[in-house]
Amino acid sequence: MASNLLKNIVKLDTRVSVSQNVCLPIRCLSTASPRVKDKTGKNIVFVDGVRTPFLLSGTDYAPLMPHQLAKEALIGLMRKTNVPREVVDYIVYGTVIQEVKTSNIGREAALAAGFPNSVPAHTVTMACISSNQGITTGIGLIAAGAYDVIVAGGVEFMSDVPIRHSRKMRSLLLRANKAKTPLDKLKLLSTFRPDFLMPELPAVAEFSSGETMGFSADRLAASFKVSREEQDQYAVRSHTMAQEAQDKGYLTDIVPFRLPNSSKVIEKDNGIRVSPIDKLAKLKAAFVKPHGTVTAANSSFLTDGASACLIMTEEKAKQLGLKPKLYLRDFTYVSQDPIDQLLLGPTYATPKVLEKAGLSVNDIDVWEVHEAFAGQILANLKAMDSDWFAQNYMNRKSKVGIPDLAKWNKWGGSLSIGHPFAATGVRLTVHTANRLVREDGQFGLIAACAAGGQGVGMIVERHPDATAL
């Protein structure tokens, strides 16, 4: 079944389901599927979400600071929803690679965006699922009765990451700051060595294993026998579908970004590139050299971008005259072995969140799953299709099952649109919302892996007032 899956996933024909027991993806809002019960007593809704265009790092955003991107996402959200800033009770914002000058970037971005001084904000970090964590933290605050209206989001700015002095140099400078006399300072200076000047460069690597995520992805693809050709084909699929969505005007979550002190306005993502499969096949391995299968073309790229969304109780939305896009029905976080199963979060999260919500794989109309690497996505699909994996690693009697791939990441994903780590969760959520409207579906499932062997699964339901604009 898994081999058939990998053949079908690259056909790019979304009219045909690859699953024998699922209906065609275009259908009316279901009355047959069970309605997921609200567990909070608040009917918490996702009103809308926006993002700046996602750009390759080192391009147009390079001269900026991350809080400037976050500021524009927050301003864009309030303009799109037409909600006064004073109505917002609290802001939860995510970031992964932190700019030290704006350590609580949620607060700094909110102030820059014109929110009242009285609106508290805090910053969360959970690697690639940081803005998912922002959303679910907001759910918790609303469910607890603390607040009614929450803004959540995330920003990542890989064009300018912090580079530190070596630890030896930092220690020397700190001690020099405490030196009282010229003699004390001379004694410290005598301990200086040239190697103190070697900087510490940031690396996208796991602290617990020292292994880069790309290296882990290569090992994972090998473990599940995912070929280089399959990965390249999936990458072409992602870019092709993203290009189609961009051309059709479906990416309505983007708010144009006017560069400061410039007349240039950025209006679309710049990483979407549909290339011939034979061109991808010529690229060399990026991590496990020379025989690895993960390349620059079948991996997500370093991206700058920010996102923001508005969540609240349904009652509050009605009071404000808003038309929400989604009910936020259920969520779960998972953790597993960060070495051999670093990127299998979707496999572990999917059955848990489906069971919590009382749904099955076949009830899901829209799947939006983070694409860190093509090999990671295909390994997850194979794991979900394996009884052996379910029984030996997940303490389950049978496999999760294969999603209907005609409903899977139909507007592309992180491989093509881009992946600013902490901003992706909101992008996944608003794409789920807008796809549910355009594809006339009811339930969506959002899933992602994250550093540390963690992952998230979220169940959302289309709101009857939802639009795709």
Side-chain angles (χ1 to χ4, degrees):
M1 183 66 177
S3 60
N4 291 334
L5 159 71
L6 299 177
K7 290 176 183 176
N8 278 283
I9 200 165
V10 296
K11 285 185 178 178
L12 306 182
D13 184 351
T14 57
R15 295 170 298 172
V16 181
S17 167
V18 297
S19 176
Q20 296 175 346
N21 298 317
V22 249
C23 12
L24 292 175
I26 305 301
R27 63 176 178 82
C28 294
L29 202 61
S30 172
T31 55
S33 295
R35 182 177 174 83
V36 178
K37 294 181 180 179
D38 171 55
K39 296 179 179 178
T40 65
K42 300 290 181 72
N43 259 342
I44 299 170
V45 295
F46 177 94
V47 175
D48 209 343
V50 303
R51 61 186 177 92
T52 67
F54 286 179
L55 302 189
L56 289 153
S57 295
T59 58
D60 283 315
Y61 292 153
L64 306 179
M65 289 183 67
H67 77 282
Q68 292 175 282
L69 289 180
K71 164 195 165 184
E72 291 303 318
L74 292 171
I75 291 173
L77 176 69
M78 307 322 288
R79 283 178 180 164
K80 187 173 185 182
T81 58
N82 201 29
V83 171
R85 290 166 176 78
E86 294 76 16
V87 171
V88 175
D89 295 318
Y90 201 93
I91 296 171
V92 189
Y93 216 76
T95 196
V96 180
I97 308 297
Q98 201 168 78
E99 164 60 58
V100 294
K101 290 182 179 179
T102 54
S103 56
N104 184 0
I105 197 166
R107 176 63 170 170
E108 301 302 335
L111 292 173
F115 282 85
N117 294 338
S118 57
V119 178
H122 81 266
T123 300
V124 296
T125 185
M126 202 174 182
C128 301
I129 54 178
S130 294
S131 58
N132 300 88
Q133 182 59 250
I135 292 170
T136 59
T137 298
I139 292 172
L141 290 170
I142 294 171
Y147 305 110
D148 289 326
V149 181
I150 303 286
V151 166
V155 63
E156 216 61 53
F157 193 71
M158 301 303 292
S159 288
D160 181 27
V161 295
I163 297 174
R164 304 199 300 177
H165 284 297
S166 70
R167 185 158 192 166
K168 291 177 181 178
M169 190 66 184
R170 298 199 307 269
S171 175
L172 180 66
L173 291 172
L174 289 170
R175 284 181 288 144
N177 194 47
K178 296 178 181 178
K180 302 294 185 183
T181 67
L183 181 60
D184 291 336
K185 293 179 180 179
L186 282 173
K187 286 180 180 178
L188 277 176
L189 186 60
S190 69
T191 68
F192 172 79
R193 298 293 180 270
D195 67 339
F196 286 17
L197 296 176
M198 290 295 292
E200 288 184 1
L201 300 176
V204 184
E206 295 295 304
F207 181 80
S208 56
S209 66
E211 189 173 87
T212 65
M213 194 171 280
F215 198 98
S216 297
D218 227 323
R219 287 198 302 104
L220 186 68
S223 298
F224 282 90
K225 296 181 171 57
V226 178
S227 71
R228 164 71 180 272
E229 182 182 11
E230 289 169 331
Q231 293 174 61
D232 288 348
Q233 287 174 331
Y234 186 90
V236 170
R237 175 192 192 268
S238 181
H239 282 270
T240 300
M241 290 188 161
Q243 185 68 65
E244 289 177 358
Q246 189 178 76
D247 292 345
K248 290 177 180 177
Y250 288 172
L251 306 184
T252 57
D253 53 325
I254 293 176
V255 290
F257 188 101
R258 186 188 184 97
L259 294 174
N261 305 313
S262 169
S263 60
K264 186 171 184 178
V265 178
I266 312 298
E267 296 183 318
K268 62 182 182 179
D269 309 314
N270 72 356
I272 302 171
R273 296 173 184 175
V274 181
S275 301
I277 192 74
D278 57 346
K279 185 176 180 180
L280 270 62
K282 294 176 182 178
L283 295 179
K284 294 182 179 180
F287 300 98
V288 179
K289 300 176 182 180
H291 302 300
T293 58
V294 175
T295 70
N298 58 40
S299 309
S300 58
F301 46 87
L302 296 180
T303 315
D304 300 334
S307 63
C309 69
L310 185 65
I311 67 173
M312 62 183 67
T313 62
E314 186 176 32
E315 180 183 2
K316 188 69 175 180
K318 288 180 179 179
Q319 290 174 7
L320 295 172
L322 300 172
K323 294 183 177 181
K325 289 182 180 288
L326 296 170
Y327 291 107
L328 296 168
R329 290 304 191 195
D330 226 321
F331 65 89
T332 191
Y333 290 93
V334 295
S335 295
Q336 56 278 341
D337 175 9
I339 298 176
D340 293 327
Q341 298 185 23
L342 177 70
L343 303 171
L344 288 179
T347 297
Y348 282 87
T350 296
K352 285 190 175 182
V353 77
L354 284 172
E355 288 167 2
K356 285 185 70 180
L359 298 174
S360 71
V361 168
N362 292 351
D363 289 318
I364 302 303
D365 301 299
V366 165
W367 295 80
E368 281 290 334
V369 181
H370 165 49
E371 300 169 345
F373 304 88
Q376 159 256 334
I377 284 287
L378 297 174
N380 271 275
L381 288 167
K382 285 193 172 188
M384 291 169 72
D385 192 40
S386 170
D387 284 320
W388 181 88
F389 186 86
Q391 292 160 5
N392 285 273
Y393 288 99
M394 300 177 67
N395 196 29
R396 298 179 60 84
K397 293 181 180 179
S398 60
K399 62 188 179 185
V400 177
I402 300 179
D404 181 351
L405 298 176
K407 304 173 182 179
W408 178 279
N409 289 9
K410 282 181 64 175
W411 293 355
S414 300
L415 288 173
S416 49
I417 292 170
H419 176 41
F421 303 145
T424 290
V426 168
R427 197 272 301 166
L428 292 169
T429 308
V430 73
H431 280 198
T432 301
N434 292 340
R435 280 187 56 202
L436 281 170
V437 175
R438 292 190 184 275
E439 296 163 31
D440 209 6
Q442 182 176 7
F443 293 113
L445 192 148
I446 299 152
C449 58
Q454 303 194 98
V456 68
M458 298 173 64
I459 295 289
V460 297
E461 183 176 7
R462 175 181 163 189
H463 193 278
D465 295 334
T467 69
L469 300 177

